[in-house]
């Protein structure tokens, strides 16, 4: 879902542009880089997400009459900058990690080659998309691992903003979730949607049995009935009575899930409903999902935890200038030296170094004008935008499916220890050469 408003940005992006135009440095060729200095505390890897929708947003990033008039009226930039913005469209080149790729501290996830002016005003847009989407995808990927093959559905729209809800559904699907409750995510990104009824539907009717009957009449006996509005075991009995042996599933949204799920499974089997599945949706995260591994749960619905990155709502990514041409046209590497915020200057060429078994052993980053040949490594950069033209393969619903497939392939390269939920260091080191 795109939004053409170029004012979804921070003021200082435009004041830097204005000052650079006045200084005559705005057309200097530059290299910007988006990366995370570290992973959220205790995480062993991250998942890149948001790239496809970011490409669409960059393509739509324009300053129309309404935006320009407001900037002029507020005195944010001067006439020269307004004239420049009126003709703005990104004409540079962007390379980066494929969406769905695994990343580590200092991985150069996105590299922007452009003039200073064209690249600097994209900073807020790039970071707002990559920080949120990658955080959601990274948390969701951990949940997928904890579920060990059992399906998960994203259902957190009511726990985040209306726009971020769509982004979260998209990121969770890329990370391996099977469906979302959000209809806009289904329409825009082609994600399967799911959902039947909430407690209010049960409470609307004169009895729980009447509510179940109404749902079965509308959706068929293979529907999922919510059985914990009053008493779970009475609810299960009623659900079977109404829907019969074809009852698709029962949903449990409260209680001591490990013991309750076991008891409900036994009850369903005793009533002849061995084929009826059990789905749980009670404030789940990767830890509660892992705790249910030995329980007869068939699927999970996750809300708050996935849309908030399971406690890390932003991935901690930054966007820095790492090289530019000087007044004589020579390339100069630049970097911050601030304590705990130091950066590595220069153009980067990252590869994933592998062992003989095809497992990742290092994030190897060549710094300089050309990449070092490495036969035991996989190249990580692809061209996303070339001279202003977006590679359409990475956008739209098709791009989402491509990213989902790539995440599964990238995850398969990681050592088994990457999937432990206990706190730990990044599973492979980042090495500069």
């Amino acid at each position: 879902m795109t939004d053409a408003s170029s004012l979804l940005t921070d003021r200082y992006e435009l004041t830097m542009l204005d000052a650079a135009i006045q200084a005559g440095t705005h057309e200097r060729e530059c290299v910007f880089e988006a990366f995370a200095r570290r992973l959220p505390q205790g995480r062993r890897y991250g998942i890149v997400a948001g790239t496809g929708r970011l490409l669409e947003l960059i393509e739509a990033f324009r300053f129309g009459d309404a935006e320009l008039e407001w900037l002029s009226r507020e005195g944010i930039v001067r006439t020269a900058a307004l004239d420049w913005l009126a003709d703005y469209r990104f004409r540079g080149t962007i390379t980066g990690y494929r969406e769905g790729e695994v990343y580590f501290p200092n991985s150069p996830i996105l590299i922007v080659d452009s003039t200073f002016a064209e690249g600097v005003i994209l900073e807020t847009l790039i970071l707002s998309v990559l920080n949120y989407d990658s955080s959601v995808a990274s948390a969701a990927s951990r949940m997928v691992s904890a579920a060990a093959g059992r399906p998960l559905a994203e259902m957190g729209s009511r726990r985040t903003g209306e726009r971020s809800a769509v982004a979260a559904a998209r990121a969770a699907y890329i990370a391996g979730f099977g469906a979302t409750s959000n209809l806009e995510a289904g329409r825009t990104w082609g994600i399967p949607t799911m959902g039947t009824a909430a407690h209010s539907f049960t409470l609307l009717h004169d009895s729980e049995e009447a509510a179940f009957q109404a749902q079965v009449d509308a959706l068929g006996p293979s529907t999922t009935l919510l059985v914990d509005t009053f008493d779970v075991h009475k609810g299960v009995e009623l659900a079977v009575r109404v829907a019969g042996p074809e009852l698709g599933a029962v949903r449990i949204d409260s209680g001591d899930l490990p013991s309750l799920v076991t008891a409900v499974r036994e009850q369903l089997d005793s009533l002849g409903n061995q084929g009826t599945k059990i789905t749980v949706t009670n404030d789940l995260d990767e830890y509660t999902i892992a705790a249910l591994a030995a329980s007869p749960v068939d699927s999970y619905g996750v809300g708050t935890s996935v849309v908030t990155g399971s406690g890390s709502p932003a991935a901690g990514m930054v966007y820095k200038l790492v090289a530019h041409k000087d007044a004589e046209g020579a390339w100069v590497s630049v970097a911050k030296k601030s304590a705990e915020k130091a950066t590595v200057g220069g153009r980067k060429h990252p590869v994933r170094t592998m062992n003989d078994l095809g497992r990742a052993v290092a994030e190897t980053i060549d710094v300089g004008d050309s990449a070092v040949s490495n036969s035991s490594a996989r190249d990580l950069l692809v061209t996303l935008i070339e001279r202003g033209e977006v590679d359409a393969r990475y956008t739209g619903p098709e791009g989402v499916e491509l990213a989902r497939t790539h995440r599964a392939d990238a995850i398969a390269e990681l050592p088994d220890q990457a999937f432990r939920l206990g706190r730990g260091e990044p599973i492979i080191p980042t090495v500069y050469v």
Side-chain angles (χ1 to χ4, degrees):
M1 182 169 59
T2 61
D3 190 326
S5 176
S6 51
L7 298 185
L8 294 173
T9 192
D10 289 313
R11 176 172 173 145
Y12 83 158
E13 314 293 9
L14 299 191
T15 56
M16 283 192 286
L17 165 69
D18 185 68
I21 289 175
Q22 293 300 309
T25 54
H26 65 296
E27 294 291 344
R28 284 189 176 182
E29 292 183 51
C30 292
V31 179
F32 293 90
E33 183 183 304
F35 63 94
R37 291 189 178 93
R38 60 191 64 86
L39 300 177
Q41 188 175 12
R43 301 281 176 89
R44 297 169 188 262
Y45 67 92
I47 297 293
V48 177
T51 312
R53 73 182 191 93
L54 174 61
L55 296 179
E56 295 184 16
L57 288 165
I58 291 174
E59 197 169 37
F61 198 82
R62 300 286 192 279
F63 292 83
D65 291 342
E67 288 83 12
L68 294 169
E69 288 170 7
W70 184 83
L71 291 171
S72 177
R73 186 170 64 250
E74 295 296 315
I76 292 172
V77 294
R78 286 169 282 197
T79 301
L82 290 170
D83 291 342
W84 188 91
L85 291 169
D87 189 45
Y88 178 78
R89 65 179 292 269
F90 183 74
R91 296 176 175 85
T93 294
I94 297 180
T95 55
Y97 284 33
R98 289 180 57 174
E99 190 163 16
E101 184 61 79
V102 174
Y103 75 90
F104 298 95
N106 298 305
S107 294
I109 291 167
L110 205 72
I111 299 173
V112 177
D113 283 89
S114 68
T115 65
F116 177 81
E118 284 192 23
V120 75
I121 63 173
L122 294 179
E123 176 183 10
T124 300
L125 179 66
I126 288 170
L127 291 181
S128 63
V129 171
L130 293 183
N131 263 317
Y132 181 70
D133 293 39
S134 297
S135 176
V136 171
S138 298
S141 184
R142 284 160 56 89
M143 296 173 195
V144 170
S145 296
R150 296 170 179 173
L152 297 102
E154 182 280 321
M155 47 194 302
S157 295
R158 291 161 292 170
R159 299 294 186 264
T160 187
E162 71 279 7
R163 297 190 192 190
S164 55
V166 183
R170 181 183 182 281
Y173 182 69
I174 286 170
F177 275 52
T180 178
S181 65
N182 190 285
L183 292 179
E184 186 58 54
R187 181 180 73 154
T188 302
W189 301 112
I191 301 170
T193 61
M194 48 69 65
T196 52
H199 294 100
S200 60
F201 186 79
T202 301
L203 296 171
L204 166 69
H205 292 80
D206 295 335
S207 67
E208 188 174 35
E209 184 173 1
F212 288 171
Q213 189 64 61
Q215 185 175 329
V216 168
D217 290 344
L219 301 177
S222 63
T223 189
T224 298
L225 294 175
L226 178 60
V227 296
D228 74 331
T229 305
F230 304 113
D231 178 273
V232 170
H233 295 294
K234 290 181 180 179
V236 170
E237 183 179 350
L238 280 174
V240 171
R241 184 190 309 168
V242 170
E246 296 180 15
L247 174 61
V250 295
R251 177 162 75 94
I252 304 171
D253 191 49
S254 60
D256 178 19
L257 291 179
S259 60
L260 192 54
V261 166
T262 299
V264 166
R265 180 74 270 160
E266 292 174 354
Q267 184 180 8
L268 285 168
D269 292 348
S270 70
L271 293 171
N273 278 53
Q274 291 88 350
T276 298
K277 296 183 177 180
I278 300 172
T279 186
V280 296
T281 58
N282 181 28
D283 289 332
L284 303 180
D285 61 14
E286 60 264 50
Y287 301 102
T288 52
I289 291 170
L292 288 164
S295 302
V297 175
D298 294 291
S299 62
Y300 307 91
V302 188
T304 302
S305 186
V306 69
V307 301
T308 58
S310 195
S312 298
M317 293 184 192
V318 295
Y319 183 77
K320 299 299 179 184
L321 181 66
V322 296
H324 68 80
K325 284 188 175 180
D326 64 17
E328 284 71 45
W331 279 104
V332 179
S333 295
V334 294
K336 286 182 63 173
K337 302 299 182 183
S338 309
E340 298 185 4
K341 288 192 174 183
T343 59
V344 176
R347 186 181 297 277
K348 315 295 193 310
H349 303 272
V351 296
R352 183 94 12 97
T353 303
M354 319 293 284
N355 64 17
D356 293 340
L357 299 176
R359 294 296 182 94
V361 295
E363 189 86 338
T364 304
I365 302 176
D366 298 330
V367 182
D369 294 332
S370 61
V372 176
S373 176
N374 189 335
S375 60
S376 64
R378 176 169 68 84
D379 289 336
L380 294 171
L381 295 182
V382 298
T383 300
L384 302 168
I385 300 178
E386 186 166 12
R387 297 179 182 177
E389 296 299 320
V390 171
D391 190 330
R393 291 178 299 171
Y394 302 115
T395 62
E398 295 79 9
V400 170
E401 291 297 336
L402 193 64
R404 179 178 166 89
T405 298
H406 186 70
R407 188 222 62 112
D409 292 341
I411 282 288
E413 294 176 349
L414 297 182
D416 293 340
Q417 297 91 329
F419 310 112
R420 294 177 180 173
L421 293 181
R423 294 187 182 278
E425 297 299 314
I427 194 60
I428 62 173
T430 301
V431 179
Y432 289 99
V433 296

